[in-house]
Amino acid sequence: MSNRYDAIYRQSIKDPESFWAEAAEALDWERSWDRVLDTSNKPFYRWFAGASCNTCHNALDRHVDGGRGDQLALIYDSPITGALRKFTYRELRDAVATFAGALAAQGVVKGDRVILYMPMVPEAVISMLAVARLGAIHSVVFGGFAANELAVRIDDAKPKVIVSASCGVEPGRIVPYKPLLDGAIDLARHKPDRCIILQRDQETAELTPGRDLDWQDAVAGARPHPCVPVEATDPLYILYTSGTTGEPKGVVRDNGGHMVALHWSMKNIYGVDPGEVFWAASDVGWVVGHSYIVYAPLLHGNTTILFEGKPVGTPDAGVFWRIVAEHDVKALFTAPTAFRAIKQQDPEGKLIRDYDMSGFRTLFLAGERADPDTLTWAETRLQVPVIDHWWQTETGWSICANPVGIELMPVRHGSPTKPMPGWSLEALDEHGAPSPAGTIGALAAKLPLPPGAAPTLWNAEKRFVDAYLADFPGYYKTGDAGYIDEDGYVYVMTRTDDVINVAGHRLSTGAMEEVLADHPDVAECAVIGVADALKGQVPVGFLVLNAGCERHHDEIVAETVRMVRDRIGPVAAFKTAIVVTRLPKTRSGKILRGTMQKIADQEDWKMPATIDDPAILGEITQALSGAGYARPA
Ligand code: COA
Ligand code: AMP
């Protein structure tokens, strides 16, 4: 049934070095590798050790040199501002080379870090590729994060330069970025030498003399910079993601392995050929944006779409279909939440009929669990295969997918299908032994991981080992629990840590608890993720107030909501907090977040044997049902 996939997968596990060496031949290397896989420093494995290369060269110059100079590389379609701009490979290469020259003029050299705090404009993509061109390391910070989150990343990455813009544009409001950037630099201990600011039409930012440089002034007179070769194992970027605590993890991506895996994925997983249009409707601030708006489509010679808008409201729930039809998109990749938003506004999918979608072949969903309702709706309305695939910031590309370019395996709702090459996956029990088929366990992948997966965390090797490798020696712990059925289909059920997924955005409840705990009237708190029809999950906070606090609860709740928005950002979507007298805990003092979440989601739950005060769960149920969650007690 799945002969081609089986053969390819088996070969990748049996002989990973020849599998990935063959895939690497599609790319240009300044110098070839000494070893495809360097195993000399376990548990840290390095792909293509000894090779040197440049990712930007492979994403742009290689195509211009190879005859694709006049093909479109990037289409910027911004229904929220009305802008449309197109770049051929030659134009994009030239813009990137010029901006690389501008960065070099500010002293950026190989190995330096550059933080990018940018809205979804072409200059964001140009900046990423320009940093890569110089062999420097970019770290993109999502625009929906607040100054404090940006400051934490500035202190960890220690950028020489920060590139930002005057504003982002959200439905109904302009989001000025400059005050957030200035606030972050004030908060951070590390200070960048220079900030380069793109002034957008919607808002002009005031520049700080001596530190800030207008983008236009920076590029005026800049000399185009050639690609700087780096070691294949050198970092291309750092992308911070949520962990269990408020301190984000700086996921490192290397150059060589990343290029090879992403290039391979475009034809084999997404089934597109060079020259075709591919669209990932995400944001460059997330890993999906890094991998599938920027690097993979360009490495593969596709045309990529940069979409500045929302699935609904910019102007309506037909915007995805308009873009697919207008730009002849062959494959679209987005998060299920985007489809839930569209379905909510256009349940019959009537707007689809307004557009010629005949060229559209496949819809890919990832970022959160794809619920069967949304999958069925998309399949019925679009009449194309709808492919759920599972991956993480750390992995950079799919752990599991249905590789339509190899063969379309039967789709099973609730499953992102099977492991991709190099991913040797098990559901492990608490002793680290593989569970039998159909039994839930911790999903973990045998080391070494394939190319593209994070080799480490930025300046935090021990944290990398502790977070991912220590619990199950010889394996990478994904942090997701699930099972593998008798046919090898993988089912991803839930996170095993305090990470929640809000509208496809990964957030830490631990980080929100740290903010709530700072409120002067809050003695204790907990945050859980509860099911939400649109966003998949939303955070809900529980607050225990200091004894003697007589302030009105609504006031305190409003202040905590404001604090999370100000410190983490609007993207946290923290809108609900409930004041309770106590939190449910085990006798050893552990907060029973899992039980609270089951009550909120109206799932079956058992009274935990170790609970110290069963009566409190009645109050929690009451409070949750008062807030619109849980069944009344
Ligand atoms: N800059 C500033 N603020 C931002 C922002 C950005 N780049 N992105 C989001 N925000 C703000 C929003 O304006 C919103 O603010 P509000 O509380 O004042 O309304 C808040 O952050 C939450 O944003 P979001 O989670 O996007 O919710 P939404 O209600 O605006 O839109 C969806 C809901 C489903 C339409 C939206 O989440 C979406 O398009 N999701 C697509 C999935 C996706 O891109 N996932 C990424 C991983 S693949
Ligand atoms: P991020 O690092 O932001 O991409 O988030 C990764 C997490 O999102 C995973 O660990 C999962 O918990 C969840 N996730 C991503 N894709 C899927 C999927 N297809 N099915 C279920 N969960 C998913």
Side-chain angles (χ1 to χ4, degrees):
M1 211 167 56
S2 50
N3 292 337
R4 284 204 67 211
Y5 159 80
D6 281 346
I8 289 173
Y9 179 71
R10 269 202 307 273
Q11 195 221 333
S12 79
I13 299 297
K14 201 171 114 224
D15 189 359
E17 293 198 64
S18 52
F19 184 90
W20 294 111
E22 194 185 321
E25 279 168 21
L27 296 155
D28 285 352
W29 301 84
E30 182 80 13
R31 185 181 65 232
S32 189
W33 45 89
D34 302 326
R35 302 181 63 177
V36 181
L37 178 63
D38 178 1
T39 59
S40 61
N41 183 29
K42 289 178 187 170
F44 298 94
Y45 296 85
R46 307 311 304 263
W47 287 96
F48 305 105
S52 85
C53 58
N54 183 281
T55 297
C56 177
H57 165 83
N58 275 288
L60 298 176
D61 304 58
R62 184 171 62 92
H63 300 305
V64 178
D65 300 346
R68 257 181 219 289
D70 296 327
Q71 181 201 306
L72 285 182
L74 178 72
I75 300 173
Y76 163 60
D77 191 316
S78 171
I80 203 155
T81 64
L84 178 70
R85 282 166 71 192
K86 298 182 181 183
F87 297 75
T88 63
Y89 268 95
R90 182 173 294 101
E91 288 164 344
L92 190 60
R93 193 258 332 251
D94 292 348
V96 167
T98 303
F99 192 60
L103 287 171
Q106 300 307 322
V108 175
V109 296
K110 181 159 135 178
D112 283 342
R113 274 80 57 214
V114 178
I115 280 191
L116 313 175
Y117 186 58
M118 297 286 275
M120 287 283 285
V121 291
E123 288 78 3
V125 178
I126 290 168
S127 303
M128 289 167 79
L129 290 162
V131 174
R133 193 171 187 87
L134 295 174
I137 303 164
H138 61 69
S139 187
V140 182
V141 179
F142 177 62
F145 281 124
N148 184 59
E149 290 288 318
L150 179 56
V152 170
R153 288 153 174 81
I154 292 173
D155 275 335
D156 197 64
K158 301 193 171 39
K160 190 175 266 181
V161 170
I162 299 182
V163 183
S164 189
S166 55
C167 66
V169 186
E170 284 291 296
R173 71 191 163 108
I174 305 288
V175 183
Y177 276 28
K178 196 50 197 342
L180 297 169
L181 175 65
D182 291 343
I185 295 174
D186 280 350
L187 284 170
R189 287 182 306 278
H190 173 85
K191 309 291 174 196
D193 295 349
R194 181 77 65 222
C195 296
I196 301 179
I197 310 293
L198 176 77
Q199 298 283 18
R200 301 189 72 186
D201 293 346
Q202 295 76 12
E203 165 101 4
T204 304
E206 207 169 300
L207 302 187
T208 306
R211 187 196 72 191
D212 297 348
L213 191 57
D214 187 304
W215 173 289
Q216 299 306 338
D217 294 337
V219 294
R223 288 218 308 276
H225 204 289
C227 294
V228 177
V230 293
E231 294 296 307
T233 51
D234 279 344
L236 168 71
Y237 70 75
I238 307 165
L239 180 57
Y240 289 89
T241 190
S242 300
T244 312
T245 66
E247 200 187 325
K249 296 167 171 166
V251 170
V252 171
R253 193 81 57 214
D254 65 9
N255 276 274
H258 174 248
M259 290 197 308
V260 172
L262 261 55
H263 180 274
W264 183 91
S265 72
M266 287 306 288
K267 173 70 188 163
N268 292 287
I269 297 181
Y270 298 99
V272 289
D273 287 317
E276 292 187 322
V277 183
F278 181 84
W279 177 24
S282 177
D283 188 288
V284 289
W286 306 115
V287 69
V288 175
H290 281 62
S291 293
Y292 290 104
I293 296 174
V294 184
Y295 287 109
L298 296 177
L299 285 164
H300 195 243
N302 291 98
T303 301
T304 187
I305 294 195
L306 184 74
F307 169 68
E308 189 184 28
K310 301 265 174 180
V312 293
T314 59
D316 58 26
V319 67
F320 273 29
W321 327 132
R322 194 267 295 159
I323 290 189
V324 167
E326 198 170 310
H327 305 304
D328 195 20
V329 171
K330 299 297 181 203
L332 164 63
F333 174 174
T334 191
T337 187
F339 267 72
R340 287 196 295 269
I342 295 171
K343 179 170 138 230
Q344 227 176 42
Q345 302 226 340
D346 181 17
E348 305 294 316
K350 285 192 184 129
L351 293 170
I352 299 173
R353 291 176 224 143
D354 293 348
Y355 300 94
D356 176 7
M357 303 266 293
S358 55
F360 182 56
R361 291 201 297 259
T362 328
L363 171 67
F364 293 88
L365 299 175
E368 57 173 326
R369 191 174 151 74
D371 53 289
D373 266 7
T374 305
L375 282 169
T376 309
W377 186 89
E379 282 170 344
T380 329
R381 308 290 152 188
L382 294 174
Q383 292 291 312
V384 296
V386 179
I387 306 298
D388 177 19
H389 59 326
W390 169 51
W391 52 296
Q392 314 179 305
T393 305
E394 290 85 344
T395 69
W397 65 291
S398 300
I399 309 169
C400 285
N402 195 336
V404 302
I406 296 175
E407 65 172 319
L408 177 65
M409 289 185 266
V411 169
R412 294 190 188 171
H413 287 183
S415 169
T417 316
K418 295 192 182 182
M420 287 300 90
W423 290 100
S424 183
L425 207 65
E426 300 279 6
L428 300 178
D429 67 19
E430 65 271 35
H431 308 295
S435 307
T439 306
I440 290 195
L443 291 170
K446 255 191 210 131
L447 299 178
L449 300 185
T456 188
L457 294 177
W458 182 250
N459 283 340
E461 264 190 4
K462 183 172 178 315
R463 190 174 180 201
F464 182 74
V465 174
D466 291 347
Y468 304 109
L469 310 181
D471 285 1
F472 304 115
Y475 287 91
Y476 162 80
K477 180 182 76 171
T478 63
D480 284 310
Y483 65 93
I484 306 173
D485 74 10
E486 333 41 70
D487 301 323
Y489 277 67
V490 176
Y491 292 77
V492 183
M493 309 303 289
T494 179
R495 287 289 301 192
T496 57
D497 54 16
D498 296 329
V499 165
I500 58 170
N501 203 310
V502 181
H505 309 317
R506 174 166 157 183
L507 297 163
S508 161
T509 53
M512 294 184 218
E513 289 177 4
E514 284 175 27
V515 175
L516 300 182
D518 267 357
H519 189 287
D521 294 322
V522 171
E524 239 191 330
C525 64
V527 175
I528 58 169
V530 305
D532 180 82
L534 174 65
K535 297 195 175 192
Q537 280 186 305
V538 288
V540 170
F542 295 84
L543 312 171
V544 178
L545 304 183
N546 289 321
C549 170
E550 285 178 3
R551 294 185 59 210
H552 201 289
H553 291 178
D554 291 352
E555 253 174 52
I556 297 172
V557 164
E559 286 162 10
T560 58
V561 167
R562 168 58 54 190
M563 280 170 76
V564 175
R565 192 175 174 95
D566 287 350
R567 292 229 217 137
I568 296 179
V571 69
F574 183 83
K575 309 235 155 129
T576 310
I578 301 170
V579 174
V580 291
T581 53
R582 300 183 308 288
L583 294 172
K585 290 186 187 169
T586 62
R587 282 189 285 274
S588 60
K590 201 169 167 291
I591 298 171
L592 291 161
R593 292 183 183 78
T595 310
M596 290 158 81
Q597 183 248 312
K598 284 199 168 73
I599 294 173
D601 291 350
Q602 307 190 9
E603 288 174 22
D604 293 337
W605 59 277
K606 276 204 226 100
M607 181 64 71
T610 53
I611 192 165
D612 74 339
D613 174 10
I616 184 62
L617 288 178
E619 184 191 334
I620 296 286
T621 310
Q622 201 98 47
L624 276 166
S625 80
Y629 303 101
R631 292 187 206 101

